[in-house]
Amino acid sequence: MMVLCAALMAVAQPKFNERPKLVVGIVVDQMRWDYLSRYYDKFCDGGFRKMLDGGYSFNNCLIDYIPTVTAIGHTSAYTGTTPAFHGICGNNFYIDGNEVYCCADKTVMPVGSDNMKAGQMSPVNLLATTIGDQLRLHTEFRSKVIGVSYKDRAAIFPAGHAANAAYWLDLKNRQFITSTYYMKELPQWVKDFNKVLKENKVFKELGKNIGLSAEAGHITVDMAIAALKGERLGQGDETDMLCVSFSETDVIGHKWSTRGEHTDEAYMELDKDMEKLFEALDEQVGKGQYIVFLTADHGAAHNWKFMQDNRLHGGPWLSESLRTDLEHYVAQKLGNKKPVVKGIVDYRFFLDHEGIASEGLELQRVKDVIIEYLRKSPNLSFVVDYEKAAYAPVPQLLRERILKGYNFHRSGDIVVAVEPGYYEYGSWSSSTGTTHGEWNPYDAHIPLLFYGWRVPHGASACEVHITDIAPTICSLLRIQQPNACIGRCLEFN
């Protein structure tokens, strides 16, 4: 009897080098964790509920750095590390004093379009490898890795350096494009897809505002399925990877916040897109032959007017109006003639080091005066000099997230934390909308679901982090973790 049991166990155990045919990574932009329970009863059986009822949910997944923004979130999920190591410090930031868009690259050209602004993109500023990079390295570049999204940054950073392709929408010309970083000409299947897309009635009507419609999600999932079929992903001898990011939820959230018919519709339609993707995966790859993970790049605060109307703490933090008064205060104290602040981005102050030096001022003295002023400002909980963050008088949780989000060359000089319920009110949020970026649970608590190959049904309330995704997938694939990975491998208990 013992011999028979041992034999059965041997049959049940997978071989060490067994892998799924395909890995699918899904990031839903600006999806709060509580949307899973809020919409659960309205979800169809084949979308989100397919993952919740048949897969594994980590219900306490947190982003363990600040700021919590799109480019960083997508990058951290796929690299298993934070801005301190992967170098993507925001959608926009400064590198040694020079302002950059996270994936802008003037050394490459658009492919599939003449739109230079939309097409000159690559992972040029990414310092670490991704899951896809490690998969390509492990298989001597035989595996295929493809990224697809409405946003360039949401397609490029998940796919990584060694990806076969990343495709994003050129809103001006209403088509998916890429850059010469990946190829010289679009594959025929992309050209065929773009011909059909040109005739999309909703896209024709909305144009550059397509992101405010659930149609953007439909377009994204159709492109992802086209890539699945056109590249025959999961059909070869090696494991392939498809990285899909849904961005319309973020555009809609910035415009209409976390409540109301627009947000409700966005998630109901996204649920249908998920069902459509799963049906295509079952048909093209086979049930049980692929593994899917789903997460978000960040969450979102409730609209501050909504909070106040319901007698809850919250409000706007107006960084631009603050800036004028700050510069006046510094000039009165130090006698400088030129502004000392180059920019305020994602609650971080980037100072003009060269300008400060040219006026004979000490950088530390300028920082001290700025911090002195900010500590007198309303609705700020903490003000921290990045270089002194390791011993700043702030709670350990916040200190650790500040340090993980800090890259010496790219993160600026001073970071602030606003009071709970407050957020930066400006270009990224409307009077009816919202934004994100801070450490609080509404921005940092995100979904993390796994489904498919070797994934049991279950859930865990243990604290895990966005940086744990990459090492977990790499462990399942029996490949090395990304080269700056700091996350831990999760267990499905």
Side-chain angles (χ1 to χ4, degrees):
M1 186 67 177
M2 291 180 63
V3 174
L4 177 60
C5 289
L8 289 172
M9 287 179 65
V11 171
Q13 293 298 315
K15 294 180 181 178
F16 183 80
N17 255 13
E18 281 187 341
R19 297 182 179 90
K21 292 181 178 180
L22 180 68
V23 178
V24 181
I26 300 173
V27 177
V28 182
D29 206 323
Q30 203 183 118
M31 184 176 183
R32 293 164 53 109
W33 172 80
D34 59 349
Y35 286 169
L36 290 175
S37 58
R38 180 181 168 194
Y39 294 120
Y40 180 84
D41 291 337
K42 297 180 180 179
F43 286 147
C44 67
D45 291 336
F48 283 102
R49 283 175 66 166
K50 187 181 186 76
M51 299 191 76
L52 289 164
D53 295 346
Y56 202 95
S57 176
F58 288 94
N59 293 324
N60 193 21
C61 182
L62 302 175
I63 294 174
D64 51 347
Y65 55 78
I66 55 173
T68 48
V69 297
T70 295
I72 305 178
H74 282 81
T75 306
S76 297
Y78 284 85
T79 61
T81 193
T82 69
F85 300 101
H86 63 56
I88 302 304
C89 296
N91 299 334
N92 298 276
F93 52 97
Y94 291 77
I95 299 180
D96 292 332
N98 299 307
E99 188 173 8
V100 301
Y101 174 63
C102 57
C103 53
D105 185 355
K106 297 297 185 182
T107 69
V108 301
M109 298 293 288
V111 173
S113 170
D114 58 358
N115 188 343
M116 300 293 282
K117 184 177 180 181
Q120 288 190 294
M121 303 290 169
S122 82
V124 62
N125 293 317
L126 177 60
L127 304 179
T129 60
T130 63
I131 301 168
D133 290 334
Q134 295 301 139
L135 181 60
R136 294 267 286 158
L137 282 165
H138 190 84
T139 62
E140 301 293 341
F141 301 95
R142 292 187 297 271
S143 292
K144 290 183 178 181
V145 177
I146 306 289
V148 173
S149 182
Y150 164 96
K151 294 180 180 179
D152 46 33
R153 56 188 180 270
I156 289 169
F157 293 129
H161 294 279
N164 299 83
Y167 301 104
W168 57 93
L169 273 177
D170 173 358
L171 297 178
K172 178 182 177 182
N173 293 304
R174 303 199 317 273
Q175 58 192 15
F176 276 96
I177 63 172
T178 189
S179 76
T180 52
Y181 178 86
Y182 303 98
M183 63 190 69
K184 294 180 180 180
E185 185 178 359
L186 290 178
Q188 188 59 49
W189 67 265
V190 180
K191 294 179 182 178
D192 293 340
F193 184 87
N194 281 336
K195 287 179 183 178
V196 176
L197 188 58
K198 282 282 190 179
E199 301 305 314
N200 183 295
K201 293 182 180 179
V202 179
F203 207 167
K204 279 184 176 181
E205 178 183 347
L206 294 178
K208 293 182 179 181
N209 292 320
I210 189 67
L212 292 172
S213 166
E215 185 67 20
H218 303 336
I219 291 169
T220 300
V221 79
D222 286 346
M223 178 62 175
I225 293 170
L228 181 70
K229 296 177 179 179
E231 296 291 342
R232 294 183 55 80
L233 299 178
Q235 303 297 308
D237 295 330
E238 304 287 359
T239 300
D240 296 323
M241 186 167 194
L242 177 61
C243 311
V244 187
S245 294
F246 293 96
S247 303
E248 73 282 358
T249 44
D250 183 69
V251 183
I252 289 168
H254 281 297
K255 179 70 173 178
W256 289 297
S257 191
T258 60
R259 290 289 187 270
E261 59 179 324
H262 298 287
T263 300
D264 293 348
E265 181 191 13
Y267 281 92
M268 293 304 95
E269 291 300 308
L270 176 58
D271 188 45
K272 297 175 185 176
D273 292 333
M274 294 282 294
E275 181 179 41
K276 189 174 185 178
L277 179 59
F278 277 117
E279 288 174 352
L281 290 170
D282 287 344
E283 180 182 344
Q284 296 295 314
V285 185
K287 293 181 179 180
Q289 298 300 311
Y290 58 87
I291 184 170
V292 179
F293 69 83
L294 181 146
T295 190
D297 52 351
H298 54 75
H302 292 311
N303 175 266
W304 65 266
K305 288 185 176 181
F306 167 83
M307 294 287 281
Q308 291 183 356
D309 289 345
N310 288 278
R311 298 179 298 170
L312 294 164
H313 190 68
W317 183 67
L318 303 174
S319 61
E320 285 306 313
S321 63
L322 178 76
R323 184 172 177 173
T324 301
D325 295 338
L326 170 62
E327 290 287 4
H328 180 69
Y329 183 86
V330 174
Q332 280 190 320
K333 283 272 187 175
L334 302 179
N336 54 294
K337 304 298 182 184
K338 300 177 181 178
V340 296
V341 178
K342 271 198 169 184
I344 304 173
V345 185
D346 301 326
Y347 308 97
R348 300 166 300 176
F349 290 71
F350 292 80
L351 305 188
D352 184 356
H353 291 208
E354 291 184 3
I356 291 169
S358 71
E359 296 207 48
L361 300 175
E362 291 185 1
L363 178 61
Q364 188 58 56
R365 175 58 178 153
V366 174
K367 288 196 287 185
D368 290 343
V369 172
I370 291 173
I371 291 171
E372 177 182 275
Y373 174 82
L374 290 174
R375 284 180 174 164
K376 298 176 184 177
S377 300
N379 309 124
L380 289 180
S381 298
F382 300 100
V383 184
V384 176
D385 180 340
Y386 263 128
E387 290 193 332
K388 298 180 179 180
Y391 49 91
V394 300
Q396 182 178 347
L397 176 148
L398 184 57
R399 185 186 308 118
E400 290 178 353
R401 294 189 189 188
I402 289 171
L403 290 170
K404 288 180 178 180
Y406 176 56
N407 182 288
F408 176 76
H409 296 283
R410 304 182 176 195
S411 294
D413 302 274
I414 296 167
V415 62
V416 301
V418 294
E419 292 176 357
Y422 279 76
Y423 56 80
E424 190 171 9
Y425 182 55
S427 60
W428 285 105
S429 61
S430 68
S431 60
T432 57
T434 187
T435 192
H436 47 85
E438 278 285 8
W439 66 271
N440 309 74
Y442 45 77
D443 283 349
H445 188 190
I446 55 175
L448 178 55
L449 308 175
F450 291 86
Y451 175 84
W453 186 86
R454 308 294 185 198
V455 176
H457 175 49
S460 170
C462 294
E463 181 177 325
V464 302
H465 302 116
I466 191 171
T467 48
D468 297 332
I469 297 170
T472 301
I473 292 295
C474 287
S475 176
L476 290 169
L477 297 181
R478 304 291 194 264
I479 63 175
Q480 185 57 274
Q481 298 174 357
N483 62 10
C485 184
I486 62 170
R488 64 186 181 89
C489 180
L490 302 177
E491 295 182 4
F492 303 113
N493 293 322

